[in-house]
């Protein structure tokens, strides 16, 4: 069967002419290039078409077969009404996210995400003492529709919310809880030495914990002096 071009088109306006240049992309290519989907990599079609890789997903995704046909560009253009097509497209996005979570922990998927990590596609750690260390997407649960994606820093080993509101809307289960840690296991050279620098709160140059200790010592000395003078601590 001939692959059907996805209906989404990107229009380039050429300044040198009055005409517009239009070109369409296949669904996976369009999806990964769409604004807000920068964290996703493109899943190989061979992986998507292998039924073993999609085990049990049909139970979780509405309009599963049609969504799969849309992802692989095999859904006939005139097979659905506009309303039905919108429903199938929502299911296709959801199905692709679930497939993506499985794909990125494969050898090929890790390589693609490694390239994005090296480019800094996921952003950089906002912590000052991590010195712009690149981040990795991670889910805090593998259950879909529970929590949005977070960003993991392998230097301070903490997680952060994405800066973009669009990225905050991405389901964390589309990346899963294991991905960044598996990537660092496969490519251990990526993991930097832990940051030994820590911010120390101070008031007038004195550490806050030192000030607290000084106050406790002063209170203890005051109480001992009252005892020696026979003064009740309630007076």
């Amino acid at each position: 069967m001939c692959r059907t071009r996805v209906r989404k088109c990107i229009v380039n306006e050429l300044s040198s002419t009055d005409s517009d240049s239009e070109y369409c992309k296949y669904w996976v290519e369009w999806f990964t290039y769409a604004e807000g989907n920068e964290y996703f990599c493109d899943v190989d079609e061979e992986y998507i078409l292998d039924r073993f890789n999609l085990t049990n997903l049909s139970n979780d995704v509405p309009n599963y077969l049609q969504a799969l046909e849309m992802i692989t560009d095999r859904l006939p253009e005139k097979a659905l009404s506009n309303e039905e097509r919108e429903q199938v497209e929502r299911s296709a996005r959801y199905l692709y996210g679930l497939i993506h979570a499985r794909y990125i922990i494969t050898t090929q998927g890790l390589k693609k995400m490694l390239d994005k990590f090296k480019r800094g596609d996921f952003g950089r750690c906002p912590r000052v003492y991590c010195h712009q260390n690149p981040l990795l997407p991670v889910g805090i649960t593998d259950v879909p529709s529970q929590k949005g994606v977070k960003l993991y820093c392998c230097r301070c080993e903490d997680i952060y919310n994405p800066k973009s509101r669009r990225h905050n809307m991405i389901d964390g289960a589309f990346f899963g809880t294991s991905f960044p840690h598996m990537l660092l296991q496969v490519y251990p050279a990526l993991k930097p030495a832990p940051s030994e620098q820590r911010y120390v709160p101070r008031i007038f140059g004195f550490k806050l914990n030192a000030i607290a200790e000084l106050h406790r010592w002063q209170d203890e000395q005051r109480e001992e002096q009252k005892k020696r003078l026979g003064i009740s601590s309630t007076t």
Side-chain angles (χ1 to χ4, degrees):
M1 181 184 293
C2 296
R3 291 166 62 89
T4 304
R5 291 280 186 178
V6 69
R7 294 190 307 154
K8 307 289 184 180
C9 295
I10 298 176
V11 178
N12 281 345
E13 294 187 359
L14 302 179
S15 57
S16 58
T17 66
D18 294 329
S19 62
D20 291 335
S21 174
E22 290 190 1
Y23 61 94
C24 296
K25 295 179 180 249
Y26 294 119
W27 193 93
V28 171
E29 190 177 5
W30 164 78
F31 177 82
T32 54
Y33 276 92
E35 191 174 20
N37 290 343
E38 293 84 359
Y39 291 174
F40 291 91
C41 72
D42 58 299
V43 179
D44 293 331
E45 186 178 35
E46 293 78 10
Y47 184 89
I48 297 174
L49 293 176
D50 188 335
R51 290 175 179 261
F52 176 78
N53 298 326
L54 311 183
T55 302
N56 295 328
L57 293 184
S58 60
N59 300 326
D60 300 327
V61 181
N63 308 305
Y64 172 79
L65 291 177
Q66 291 170 316
L68 185 59
E69 287 180 339
M70 177 172 282
I71 290 174
T72 55
D73 305 299
R74 287 168 168 77
L75 183 67
E77 283 290 321
K78 298 181 180 180
L80 303 172
S81 65
N82 289 339
E83 182 178 352
E84 289 172 331
R85 183 169 289 277
E86 288 178 5
Q87 293 175 353
V88 172
E89 186 164 325
R90 282 195 295 270
S91 294
R93 290 169 177 265
Y94 183 61
L95 176 59
Y96 187 82
L98 297 178
I99 296 172
H100 183 268
R102 297 182 178 188
Y103 177 73
I104 60 175
I105 56 175
T106 66
T107 300
Q108 189 61 29
L110 287 170
K111 288 180 180 178
K112 291 186 178 183
M113 296 297 275
L114 173 63
D115 290 339
K116 295 176 72 66
F117 172 74
K118 288 181 176 179
R119 292 195 303 266
D121 288 357
F122 310 119
R124 298 186 180 275
C125 185
R127 183 175 176 272
V128 172
Y129 292 128
C130 283
H131 305 293
Q132 298 288 299
N133 192 69
L135 299 167
L136 287 164
V138 66
I140 56 178
T141 175
D142 291 310
V143 180
S145 305
Q146 296 294 315
K147 297 289 184 178
V149 67
K150 306 301 177 186
L151 297 171
Y152 172 75
C153 175
C154 54
R155 184 181 289 273
C156 63
E157 298 184 330
D158 208 346
I159 58 173
Y160 302 89
N161 288 316
K163 291 182 179 180
S164 170
R165 185 168 177 266
R166 296 190 307 273
H167 296 151
N168 271 302
M169 300 293 291
I170 299 174
D171 197 323
F174 294 167
F175 297 87
T177 57
S178 302
F179 158 67
H181 316 298
M182 186 169 291
L183 182 73
L184 296 170
Q185 287 286 324
V186 175
Y187 302 101
L190 294 177
K191 188 171 177 60
S195 174
E196 296 181 357
Q197 292 176 289
R198 293 288 184 270
Y199 173 70
V200 179
R202 297 173 184 270
I203 295 179
F204 301 122
F206 294 98
K207 297 179 182 179
L208 289 187
N209 58 348
I211 292 175
E213 290 177 5
L214 175 61
H215 288 171
R216 283 195 294 270
W217 179 81
Q218 290 174 335
D219 290 340
E220 291 172 358
Q221 293 300 310
R222 190 177 297 110
E223 289 299 319
E224 288 182 7
Q225 187 175 14
K226 286 181 179 180
K227 289 179 181 178
R228 287 198 302 268
L229 298 174
I231 302 175
S232 172
S233 48
T234 58
T235 58

